[in-house]
Amino acid sequence: MPTAYANPPPMTDIAGDSSQQQRAAGASTLRTATENSTASPKDDSKRSRKSTRSWDYVWRSGVAGGVAGCAAKTFVAPLDRVKILFQTRNPQFAKYTGSTFGVLTAMKDIYHYEGGRGLFRGHSATLLRVFPYAGIKFLAYEQIRAYIIPNKDYETPFRRLISGSLAGVTSVFFTYPLEVVRVRLAFETKRDGRSSLVETCRKIYHEQPVTRPVASPTASSGGVAAAVDGAAAAMEAVTPRTGLSNFYRGFAPTILGMLPYAGMSFLTHDTATDLLRHPSIAQYTTLPKKSNHPDGKPAPLQSWAELAAGGIAGLISQTSSYPLEVIRRRMQVGGAVGDGHRLRIGETASMIFREGGFRGFFVGLTIGYVKVIPLAAVSFYTYERMKLVFGI
């Protein structure tokens, strides 16, 4: 018989070895727990950025944003139609601007002459534009924010503002042509002979701006004036006269308007939600976390609190960017009214000021508030709820 089996170790030695193994295992577990609890915020931020940049998070946030945009736009589509008619000074509806019940009267007239579908004129193009627009906007904000604000130490109002502004510019760049088509469809009010989506796109593509002769500089003209005229003529010569460039009418003021609009929208919403989650009132404004709630994400707000945060964001962002929005609308319909001259930002602003003074830049602002406040509220609310559905 082998010696190992002939002389087994004493039971006391076995018990001692077992006790040592248990103590070693307990110490290892304690070290692991201590290491996890003392993980630096930088490590947490790296894990958070990694999950945010994953393909699964990207497509889920994009779809959630697209659904949120479509839900919000459908909710306010009739108001959006009337606002465009007011902003572009449509001859049939200019008489209603400034009236106390002008919005309701305009909606009544549209319903009377065009039926219920008239209130949703151009809405199909709206949804085609809004789904990718909102999806890209929210997706881009999540990605840009994760890069600019890697952890709480970098959480500042300026960084939030920049993140929102860049997200808005990114989304507009990819979806602006559909916005031009939507505005042109909404601008038409004729009961008979209205253009289809394809016909409107064809018209915009083939429109050629009217060339206005530029007076040649005379001897009395200053050198600076002559140089400016020559530069303007050179720019006109290289600017495409027709084609795809027509779908980017008003793009410059759109970008200028989107910087404050999207930036203030996300900044205000994030700030409002932080205030509503303050420990002193959190029990009244937040919902309990579910078992599948993502780690590191704050508790979701109650419906009324989320809607309030979105509404406040819409109010502030609309006020800060509305004058540029009016300029953009007038430039977008430039081929449908007047002599077809392609207006620049300065020319459009001067024309608006001549027609209505300083108040001309805020025509339709009341209906803008009526539209944008619920639009932003429904948009942010739907997005946050869709994120909960998708588990992100």
Side-chain angles (χ1 to χ4, degrees):
M1 179 179 293
T3 307
Y5 291 97
N7 300 298
M11 295 300 294
T12 55
D13 293 343
I14 296 175
D17 293 342
S18 176
S19 176
Q20 291 177 358
Q21 293 174 359
Q22 291 177 357
R23 286 196 297 271
S28 176
T29 303
L30 180 61
R31 283 195 303 271
T32 302
T34 303
E35 291 173 356
N36 291 337
S37 62
T38 59
S40 65
K42 185 179 294 186
D43 295 334
D44 292 339
S45 66
K46 289 181 178 179
R47 287 195 295 270
S48 176
R49 291 200 303 273
K50 183 178 180 180
S51 62
T52 302
R53 294 175 183 175
S54 66
W55 169 246
D56 188 63
Y57 191 98
V58 168
W59 80 260
R60 288 172 186 264
S61 61
V63 172
V67 172
C70 290
K73 274 293 186 180
T74 301
F75 185 77
V76 299
L79 291 172
D80 197 28
R81 172 81 197 281
V82 176
K83 189 188 79 166
I84 290 175
L85 294 173
F86 281 7
Q87 285 180 332
T88 55
R89 308 285 295 184
N90 186 284
Q92 299 181 29
F93 291 87
K95 58 186 177 182
Y96 298 130
T97 59
S99 174
T100 305
F101 300 100
V103 174
L104 296 178
T105 306
M107 292 176 66
K108 181 180 178 181
D109 282 0
I110 294 174
Y111 182 82
H112 177 73
Y113 290 106
E114 302 182 34
R117 296 180 61 181
L119 294 172
F120 291 86
R121 176 76 172 155
H123 190 58
S124 58
T126 297
L127 296 182
L128 288 175
R129 179 192 70 91
V130 164
F131 187 87
Y133 166 78
I136 293 173
K137 182 179 71 173
F138 282 107
L139 185 158
Y141 179 69
E142 296 283 0
Q143 300 302 313
I144 295 172
R145 177 187 168 88
Y147 181 81
I148 296 179
I149 309 177
N151 55 58
K152 289 291 184 182
D153 295 336
Y154 293 88
E155 192 91 20
T156 63
F158 179 74
R159 288 177 180 266
R160 285 178 171 179
L161 179 69
I162 292 299
S163 300
S165 298
L166 293 177
V169 170
T170 302
S171 61
V172 166
F173 178 79
F174 289 103
T175 60
Y176 189 79
L178 288 171
E179 167 71 359
V180 174
V181 175
R182 180 184 75 91
V183 171
R184 291 291 288 271
L185 285 171
F187 180 77
E188 294 182 359
T189 58
K190 294 185 232 178
R191 183 173 179 80
D192 299 319
R194 290 177 298 186
S195 303
S196 65
L197 179 62
V198 176
E199 291 172 345
T200 301
C201 292
R202 188 180 295 113
K203 285 181 181 179
I204 296 174
Y205 183 86
H206 291 290
E207 283 173 356
Q208 295 187 7
V210 175
T211 303
R212 289 184 175 178
V214 179
S216 59
T218 62
S220 59
S221 300
V224 176
V228 172
D229 290 340
M235 289 297 296
E236 286 289 338
V238 299
T239 300
R241 309 298 295 173
T242 184
L244 294 178
S245 63
N246 287 338
F247 290 92
Y248 280 87
R249 282 178 172 169
F251 185 68
T254 299
I255 293 298
L256 294 176
M258 183 55 65
L259 290 172
Y261 180 82
M264 291 301 298
S265 179
F266 281 107
L267 168 62
T268 306
H269 175 263
D270 289 357
T271 303
T273 53
D274 287 347
L275 293 175
L276 289 170
R277 289 192 178 99
H278 193 273
S280 61
I281 59 172
Q283 58 179 328
Y284 306 108
T285 59
T286 59
L287 297 171
K289 294 183 179 180
K290 296 184 179 180
S291 57
N292 62 343
H293 194 80
D295 295 334
K297 184 178 179 180
L301 292 174
Q302 295 187 18
S303 297
W304 72 265
E306 186 63 61
L307 289 170
I312 294 171
L315 174 68
I316 295 178
S317 60
Q318 177 75 353
T319 304
S320 63
S321 63
Y322 195 79
L324 286 168
E325 183 180 355
V326 173
I327 295 174
R328 171 169 62 96
R329 298 295 192 197
R330 295 294 290 271
M331 293 180 70
Q332 286 174 336
V333 299
V337 296
D339 59 4
H341 174 58
R342 182 176 292 173
L343 298 174
R344 301 185 183 89
I345 297 178
E347 292 177 311
T348 306
S350 298
M351 181 176 62
I352 294 172
F353 186 80
R354 286 196 305 268
E355 293 177 353
F358 183 74
R359 295 183 59 185
F361 292 98
F362 294 91
V363 170
L365 180 58
T366 302
I367 189 176
Y369 285 145
V370 174
K371 189 204 84 166
V372 168
I373 291 176
L375 173 72
V378 173
S379 179
F380 278 112
Y381 172 82
T382 306
Y383 178 66
E384 294 297 332
R385 290 302 185 260
M386 288 297 297
K387 287 175 67 177
L388 292 178
V389 171
F390 285 146
I392 58 176

